Amino acid sequence: MRIVIAEDNPLLREGLALLLRAEGLDVVATASTPDGALAAIDAHRPDVAILDVRMPPTHTDEGVRAAVEARRRRPDLAVLVLSAYVEQSFATELLGSGVGGIGYLLKERVGRVEEFLDALRRVAGGGTAIDPEVVAQLFTRSRKDPRLERLSPRERDVLGLMAEGLGNTAIAERLVVTEGAVHKHIRSIFAKLDLSPADRVDRRVAAVLRYLGQERRLV
């Protein structure tokens, strides 16, 4: 896995590079600015770009805009965005995009090495990885769909883990149940949320967006 890291904090940037290299991953370049990140991505054609949300010169959304531009140039590029806290507008856009190979984690997650590496590999493999705290805050802030009241507590647990980007096997491991039980819960979730196999959208994505109050993004 070839990786470019863009982070303006030199301590975090170099620490992250050391961590990934210690895991046998190939950090081909690091950058401290959005322009530097894009130049490194163009030059090295990595598999994954890890970018901070807030970067120079204004420390607002430069990292986000660099991520969008990087994906425009390289649609196959996996992008993992790191933030010090939940940036709701970006998280909403990310979750509603319907594309894979993208993740959004809080920086504190980097310290939980196994969780961070699992998320990185999931994103590199074309999946999604959304920080549990991001999922929790979006769910708390969203207008609840009354259909969610139909779900059992276990089905809510399953749907919450789906929102983080976990696949069925990982959900089964997290909840200590069989994969068959997860399949049954997901089928029940689709039925209770009125998501038909004939719908023109991915039912898994639709269920997650409904859970987070972002259904309008499907249109």
Side-chain angles (χ1 to χ4, degrees):
M1 189 190 305
R2 291 164 54 81
I3 302 168
V4 164
I5 299 171
E7 164 63 58
D8 65 307
N9 182 319
L11 203 58
L12 179 56
R13 183 175 65 246
E14 296 308 315
L16 187 54
L18 285 171
L19 167 66
L20 296 176
R21 285 170 176 147
E23 293 294 326
L25 302 176
D26 187 8
V27 178
V28 295
T30 63
S32 60
T33 66
D35 288 345
L38 291 172
I41 290 167
D42 288 341
H44 296 279
R45 301 190 65 79
D47 302 302
V48 186
I50 301 175
L51 300 101
D52 182 19
V53 167
R54 295 174 178 256
M55 297 177 69
T58 69
H59 293 90
T60 54
D61 64 347
E62 283 87 352
V64 174
R65 288 189 276 113
V68 171
E69 174 61 18
R71 284 290 288 248
R72 187 191 66 79
R73 299 182 188 183
R74 289 263 319 278
D76 62 330
L77 176 68
V79 174
L80 178 58
V81 176
L82 301 178
S83 179
Y85 51 88
V86 177
E87 307 266 1
Q88 185 170 6
S89 60
F90 175 58
T92 298
E93 179 180 349
L94 172 67
L95 290 165
S97 66
V99 298
I102 197 159
Y104 180 26
L105 297 181
L106 296 182
K107 288 184 178 179
E108 65 187 44
R109 196 69 49 189
V110 175
R112 303 174 189 180
V113 176
E114 288 305 317
E115 289 182 36
F116 173 67
L117 292 174
D118 177 67
L120 177 62
R121 293 187 180 105
R122 196 156 71 241
V123 169
T128 59
I130 311 300
D131 196 282
E133 183 61 25
V134 174
V135 171
Q137 288 199 33
L138 286 182
F139 179 68
T140 300
R141 297 173 186 177
S142 69
R143 281 180 71 182
K144 306 301 187 297
D145 188 318
R147 285 168 291 194
L148 292 170
E149 298 301 322
R150 304 173 187 172
L151 303 182
S152 70
R154 178 59 85 186
E155 288 164 352
R156 285 172 176 265
D157 291 341
V158 170
L159 187 49
L161 292 173
M162 286 168 60
E164 292 178 28
L166 299 185
N168 292 1
T169 300
I171 292 173
E173 292 173 354
R174 185 77 64 87
L175 297 179
V176 196
V177 298
T178 66
E179 202 166 337
V182 173
H183 279 290
K184 289 180 181 178
H185 286 312
I186 292 175
R187 285 198 300 270
S188 179
I189 289 167
F190 291 159
K192 290 180 179 180
L193 295 184
D194 300 326
L195 296 172
S196 166
D199 291 341
R200 301 178 75 179
V201 297
D202 184 316
R203 289 192 295 169
R204 198 176 184 99
V205 172
V208 166
L209 295 180
R210 192 164 290 174
Y211 175 74
L212 296 173
Q214 307 301 326
E215 190 175 12
R216 64 186 181 276
R217 292 269 173 175
L218 293 173
V219 298

